[in-house]
């Protein structure tokens, strides 16, 4: 292992690295039981290793206050029993990010993930590899190939079962084309909650039944419930989504009636929603979830009328692989073990076959991806409830180029990180902006409408009922300062909105720039062109201070690091 690290140029003189025996044992996970599931989710089309900074703000409200997944930094480490200054601490938190990133190197990458998958499958006969969705979107190559690069990579990886979210933004016809052709007889695409609008017929298979080591198992799919709301409706104009709790219970009961001894839900609800669902639906052994990008190394055990359900969430950016083992005896689950394994490329050699495929699919786009736009003096990152330096860069560019007083950037949780004194390449910018509707806009909006927009987003994030949350972060705001009280009632969370020190006037019109509008027929210059032009003009991006709101009533919240 140390030889691999040395060959990769790793900093072997790091005391924090050499003092931790957990590094050598990181992937030594002995086989347990007879039913095995491997799970990755929200990789957002990241085929190559990246840097990715975990959040310092992930606030929980209502019943979620102080509970996972709303724990960050040392609070999370204490909960899961991980020591600071270790590879695991770097994987799960943003503590000492720059130093740790330089020490432990990049994470993720399908070549390294493939090596880990093969290692786990070798010790776990019959193990199923589950893909939780948000796989075909998030990079330039995924956008330009309409997801084909990721489809090919997932087939090479050996994905067995998949559900979806951002996949739907390529349009219903493209999704069905892949499911009916590329995935035929190879990958089960499951989603129990997607129906036709006219007759409510299932669009996809709700679940798949498999036999593993003499045990029948079921995997039920749960696509992102709010797809037609969070994205332009015309992409899936004839389909309905939703949580579909009652149908989920029906599918669990049906799978059990057909002999399934283990039932797993492959979900893209978001972890808070999965926790509530687990408390209300009987007969689910585990929910292996995604969407909210929560890297939770310790599963949550949720009580319900039928017993207990394990709830997990496996992070993002091909940075983790979840390993869930069940010991099934006489048709009953007796015990389980779960591990969330970070994918450190320094400690997992690249799989040659996957490496060859990635080189091939990227080849036509290498010159475009490697176009240098500028240099960043500071860390660029996105993740966090309110803002990040990368989002601040985007809103600054929008205001400057568009001549706006205020700018909005969506609260997307996908997007890679860059370390200080790093070239900003076109690939890095596409990692932040690559969607099928990334139009930039300039609108005249009254102050009252601005508040209404922000209140709506705040409720999506902080509504105490998880079924009313959509799982993103707060809209990023440039130019305007404001306060937010997450525990306030709907319509009262956004306060003290100011522009240049003056209160926003409900009846005054302001020039507001933005991007990724969900309205049908929206048009405008691609946001990556706007931002690329701005970066090229600046050449060097100095240290950026994110414009974050004054947060009210969150003192002592373990989902917050100042």
């Amino acid at each position: 292992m140390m030889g691999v690290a040395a060959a990769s140029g790793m900093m072997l003189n790091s005391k924090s690295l050499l003092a931790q025996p957990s590094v050598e044992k990181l992937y030594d996970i002995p086989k347990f039981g007879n039913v095995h599931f491997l799970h990755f989710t929200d990789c957002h089309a990241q085929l190559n290793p990246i840097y990715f900074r975990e959040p310092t703000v992930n606030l929980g409200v209502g019943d979620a206050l102080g509970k996972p997944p709303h724990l960050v930094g040392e609070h999370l480490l204490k909960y899961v029993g991980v020591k600071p200054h270790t590879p695991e601490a770097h994987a799960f938190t943003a503590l000492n990010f720059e130093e740790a990133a330089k020490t432990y190197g990049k994470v993720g990458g399908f070549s390294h993930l493939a090596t880990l998958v093969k290692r786990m499958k070798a010790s776990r006969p019959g193990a199923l590899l589950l893909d939780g969705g948000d796989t075909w979107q998030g990079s330039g190559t995924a956008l330009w190939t309409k997801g084909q690069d990721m489809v090919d990579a997932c087939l090479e990886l050996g994905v067995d079962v998949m559900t979806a979210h951002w996949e739907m933004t390529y349009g219903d016809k493209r999704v069905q084309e892949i499911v009916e052709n590329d995935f035929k007889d190879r990958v089960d695409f499951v989603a129990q909650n997607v129906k036709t609008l006219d007759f409510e017929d299932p669009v996809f298979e709700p679940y798949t039944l498999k036999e593993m080591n003499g045990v029948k198992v079921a995997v039920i799919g749960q696509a992102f419930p709010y797809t037609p709301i969070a994205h332009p409706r015309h992409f899936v104009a004839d389909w309905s989504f939703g949580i579909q709790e009652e149908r989920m219970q029906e599918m669990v009961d049906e799978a059990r009636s057909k002999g399934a001894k283990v039932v797993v839900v492959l979900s893209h609800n978001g972890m808070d929603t999965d926790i509530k669902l687990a408390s209300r639906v009987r007969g689910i052994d585990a929910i292996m979830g995604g969407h909210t990008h929560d890297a939770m190394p310790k599963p949550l055990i949720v009580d319900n009328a039928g017993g207990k359900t394990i709830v997990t969430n496996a992070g993002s950016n091909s940075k983790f692989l979840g390993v869930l083992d069940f010991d099934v005896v006489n048709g009953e689950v007796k015990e389980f073990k779960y591990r969330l394994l970070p994918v450190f490329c320094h400690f997992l050699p690249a799989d040659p076959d996957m490496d060859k495929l990635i080189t091939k699919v990227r080849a036509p786009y290498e010159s475009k991806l490697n176009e240098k736009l500028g240099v960043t003096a500071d860390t660029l990152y996105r993740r966090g409830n309110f803002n990040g330096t990368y989002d601040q860069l985007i809103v600054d560019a929008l205001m400057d180029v568009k001549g706006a007083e205020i700018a909005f950037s969506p609260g997307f949780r996908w997007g890679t990180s860059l370390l200080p004194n790093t070239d900003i390449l076109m690939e890095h910018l596409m990692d932040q902006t690559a969607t099928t509707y990334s139009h930039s806009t300039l609108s005249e909006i009254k102050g009252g409408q601005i508040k209404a927009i922000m209140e709506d987003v705040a409720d999506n994030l902080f509504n105490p009922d998880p079924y009313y949350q959509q799982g993103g972060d707060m809209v990023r705001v440039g130019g305007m300062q404001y306060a937010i009280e997450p525990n306030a009632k709907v319509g009262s969370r956004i306060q003290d909105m100011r522009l240049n020190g003056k209160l926003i006037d409900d009846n005054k019109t302001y020039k507001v720039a933005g991007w990724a509008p969900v309205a049908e027929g929206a048009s405008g210059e691609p946001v990556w062109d706007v931002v690329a032009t701005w970066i090229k003009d600046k050449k060097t991006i100095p240290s950026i201070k994110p414009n974050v709101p004054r947060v009210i009533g969150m003192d002592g919240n373990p989902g917050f690091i100042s």
Side-chain angles (χ1 to χ4, degrees), residues 63-137:
D63 291 341
L65 174 62
K67 298 177 182 177
H70 302 286
L71 303 170
V72 298
E74 293 179 353
H75 302 291
L76 176 59
L77 297 186
K78 183 178 180 180
Y79 171 75
V80 299
V82 170
K83 293 181 180 180
H85 311 296
T86 62
E88 295 95 327
H90 173 52
F92 299 131
T93 75
L95 297 172
N96 307 308
F97 174 71
E98 288 82 5
E99 178 185 354
K102 292 176 182 177
T103 299
Y104 301 119
K106 292 184 177 182
V107 295
F110 262 50
S111 295
H112 307 277
L113 177 62
T115 297
L116 183 57
V117 167
K118 287 181 178 179
R119 178 169 180 161
M120 292 299 110
K121 281 195 170 185
S123 62
R124 289 163 169 76
L128 293 176
L129 178 59
L130 311 183
D131 175 355
D134 280 6
T135 304
W136 308 346
Q137 176 276 333

Side-chain angles (χ1 to χ4, degrees), residues 364-404:
Y365 310 103
E366 283 292 353
S367 60
K368 190 172 183 179
L369 293 169
N370 289 314
E371 179 187 359
K372 180 179 174 180
L373 307 178
V375 178
T376 178
D378 207 347
T379 300
L380 293 179
Y381 66 92
R382 166 170 282 168
R383 189 70 174 86
N385 279 164
F386 298 115
N387 207 349
T389 53
Y390 227 134
D391 285 310
Q392 188 64 47
L393 181 154
I394 292 172
V395 294
D396 287 349
L398 283 169
M399 287 189 294
D400 282 357
V401 176
K402 295 283 189 179

Side-chain angles (χ1 to χ4, degrees), residues 56-57 560-562:
T56 56
V57 184
F560 181 83
I561 297 176
S562 59

Side-chain angles (χ1 to χ4, degrees), residues 29-37 123-125 213 323-328 333-338:
I29 312 298
K31 175 191 173 186
F32 174 81
N34 51 357
V35 173
H36 317 287
F37 298 95
S123 62
R124 289 163 169 76
N213 303 317
V323 181
L324 177 60
D325 297 320
F326 286 105
D327 186 26
V328 181
V333 174
K334 296 297 183 182
E335 196 176 350
F336 80 91
K337 290 188 178 181
Y338 179 76

